[in-house]
Amino acid sequence: MIKDLFQIQNYKLFLTNMTMLGMAVAITAPFLVIFMTETHGLSSTGYGIFMASAAVGSFFVNTIMGRYSDRLKFDRKYLIIAALFMQIMAFLSFLIIPNTWILIISYIIFFSLGAPAMPQLYASARESINQYRSGIAVMANMILRSMFSFGFLFGPLVGSILLARYDFTGLFFGTVIMFAVVFMSSFLIKNSSAPAVENTVEITNYEEPKSPNLLTNMTLLLPFVAFVFLHVGQWMYLLNMPLFVTGYLGEADSAVGILASLCAGLEVPLMIFMGYVASRVSSKTLLIIAGFIGSMYFLSIGIFESYTMMLIGQLPLALFLAILLGLGISYFQDLLPQFPGYASTLFANAMIVGQLVGNLLGGIANDTLGVENSFYISGAFLFIAFILFFFTKKEVTKGEI
């Protein structure tokens, strides 16, 4: 099956781009909260509002692009290229704008406009996968997402080195360079060729299918909410973990990068393994397992308050993320096979809404309850998602969409 993946048009390029995109995000991700709180004086709540605002903008841009991207008259790769350019501008803002409020506004605008890069890259890959053989889509998406995690294996370590040697200037400069590399390589994506048709049938009175409304379709809404809750817990963790490790436990900044890299390194083989498991076990079952395992890990942080236990806990965390991030995109694409752009956007928007709520609640929980207690709330959100997945369906019939 693995050999078949490399016969898919553009797939090698997609793998390369996802790896570099993962590195671009990971170089800065663990340290941005430290930069904004220490250099620009934001409180944890203020940082949460800042990230939530970027998530709101991303949600609206993604929603608009998701609804229209499947009906574009030009190649999808130009959406990807435009979005990557916006990401470059977003992180350039940290290098050239010293004023805190102008920086915040600039980042929110450009980051929001750059949000479609990831879902549109997935959608472009799914189109190529479908034209080759749709039956290998789950494994193809798993491998693709694992390359993003592979980038996270090295990104935090690179970020730690850049931060130690060149301070935050080197950190953001490295991020901009990585996004620029992905931007340039995206021009190499070849147009997807239409699948061969043996018999041509003339169709009259054809009405172009419209993507379903999320809010009025419980078949989509229930798993969407469950995914949102999973991401709320995850983003609360991502916001408070660096502050907990450095501020509460007294570890060095590099300890944050070690945790992030260890988790990413474990994610890669786990994602590939879960790709094989997914052919034998339903996505619903695996998502239920992920919700339970993730909730137990987040609860353990508040119980043990130990960096060593957090290091050990990266294995269950990596398994949780391997299922959530590896299977999630395939889950929605299988629900809406005729709308790959909209399906990918649903997954991306679940992450964005989770990021929005998670950052807000994470900052508030830190300031009001203490960073050491915030992880109990993270665990609670994952446990609620664990319950919700029992009420989702393994398959969706055509009449339900």
Side-chain angles (χ1 to χ4, degrees):
M1 184 181 291
I2 297 294
K3 291 182 179 179
D4 289 341
L5 299 181
F6 294 99
Q7 303 302 316
I8 300 171
Q9 187 180 40
N10 298 316
Y11 193 72
K12 294 178 183 177
L13 183 58
F14 289 139
L15 290 176
T16 303
N17 279 2
M18 286 298 269
T19 304
M20 293 187 293
L21 196 59
M23 284 193 66
V25 174
I27 287 173
T28 302
F31 309 104
L32 187 57
V33 61
I34 299 174
F35 174 75
M36 294 304 295
T37 54
E38 293 184 357
T39 303
H40 286 274
L42 292 184
S43 65
S44 296
T45 301
Y47 178 79
I49 294 172
F50 168 45
M51 289 288 99
S53 300
V56 170
S58 300
F59 178 85
F60 283 112
V61 173
N62 260 344
T63 299
I64 294 170
M65 295 311 303
R67 282 201 166 272
Y68 293 100
S69 63
D70 296 313
R71 291 179 280 171
L72 292 175
K73 302 302 181 183
F74 55 87
D75 196 282
R76 194 186 297 272
K77 78 174 182 180
Y78 296 111
L79 279 182
I80 299 171
I81 291 168
L84 288 169
F85 180 76
M86 294 298 132
Q87 291 284 7
I88 292 172
M89 296 303 297
F91 285 93
L92 269 177
S93 300
F94 292 110
L95 292 171
I96 62 178
I97 301 176
N99 182 275
T100 300
W101 291 109
I102 297 177
L103 169 62
I104 288 173
I105 293 171
S106 176
Y107 178 81
I108 290 173
I109 291 173
F110 287 118
F111 183 81
S112 299
L113 293 173
M118 179 73 78
Q120 293 304 320
L121 186 60
Y122 271 120
S124 182
R126 184 58 184 253
E127 289 173 339
S128 294
I129 293 166
N130 286 345
Q131 286 168 6
Y132 180 73
R133 191 166 77 244
S134 61
I136 61 174
V138 173
M139 175 59 77
N141 278 333
M142 276 287 201
I143 299 293
L144 199 61
R145 185 55 182 79
S146 72
M147 291 299 99
F148 187 83
S149 295
F150 187 67
F152 259 81
L153 172 62
F154 299 102
L157 293 178
V158 172
S160 297
I161 295 171
L162 292 174
L163 186 60
R165 296 192 63 178
Y166 305 108
D167 202 28
F168 285 104
T169 299
L171 187 75
F172 294 120
F173 189 69
T175 302
V176 168
I177 289 176
M178 289 307 304
F179 271 115
V181 172
V182 183
F183 170 78
M184 294 301 296
S185 65
S186 295
F187 282 94
L188 301 177
I189 297 175
K190 297 178 181 178
N191 295 344
S192 297
S193 56
V197 179
E198 294 182 4
N199 298 311
T200 303
V201 179
E202 185 178 353
I203 300 176
T204 59
N205 298 323
Y206 172 74
E207 183 178 353
E208 186 174 10
K210 294 182 180 180
S211 53
N213 190 325
L214 173 67
L215 298 179
T216 60
N217 193 313
M218 287 301 296
T219 306
L220 295 178
L221 182 59
L222 190 60
F224 180 83
V225 171
F227 271 95
V228 167
F229 278 23
L230 292 178
H231 286 296
V232 168
Q234 169 65 4
W235 281 99
M236 287 186 68
Y237 168 79
L238 289 176
L239 186 148
N240 285 313
M241 182 273 283
L243 302 176
F244 178 72
V245 170
T246 58
Y248 189 82
L249 297 181
E251 302 288 339
D253 290 350
S254 59
V256 176
I258 291 172
L259 283 176
S261 294
L262 177 59
C263 181
L266 292 170
E267 273 183 62
V268 175
L270 284 173
M271 277 190 178
I272 297 173
F273 174 70
M274 294 312 299
Y276 285 102
V277 173
S279 63
R280 297 170 175 83
V281 181
S282 70
S283 297
K284 173 181 174 177
T285 301
L286 293 175
L287 287 166
I288 289 172
I289 293 171
F292 181 77
I293 291 175
S295 66
M296 293 301 103
Y297 167 67
F298 290 145
L299 290 174
S300 73
I301 298 175
I303 293 171
F304 294 107
E305 296 186 358
S306 165
Y307 181 71
T308 300
M309 292 304 295
M310 291 184 72
L311 284 171
I312 297 172
Q314 295 310 296
L315 179 58
L317 177 62
L319 180 59
F320 160 67
L321 291 173
I323 297 173
L324 170 64
L325 302 177
L327 280 179
I329 191 74
S330 297
Y331 183 91
F332 282 107
Q333 287 179 345
D334 288 342
L335 289 178
L336 297 168
Q338 67 273 48
F339 300 105
Y342 182 59
S344 301
T345 298
L346 282 179
F347 175 74
N349 276 351
M351 182 185 296
I352 289 170
V353 175
Q355 179 183 2
L356 187 160
V357 178
N359 279 309
L360 283 176
L361 288 182
I364 293 171
N366 187 329
D367 289 338
T368 58
L369 302 176
V371 68
E372 71 278 12
N373 295 316
S374 65
F375 301 103
Y376 292 116
I377 302 176
S378 298
F381 270 99
L382 264 65
F383 194 79
I384 294 172
F386 159 73
I387 299 298
L388 287 177
F389 275 118
F390 280 100
F391 299 95
T392 61
K393 298 184 178 181
K394 294 181 181 179
E395 295 183 12
V396 179
T397 61
K398 185 176 181 181
E400 292 174 317
I401 293 294

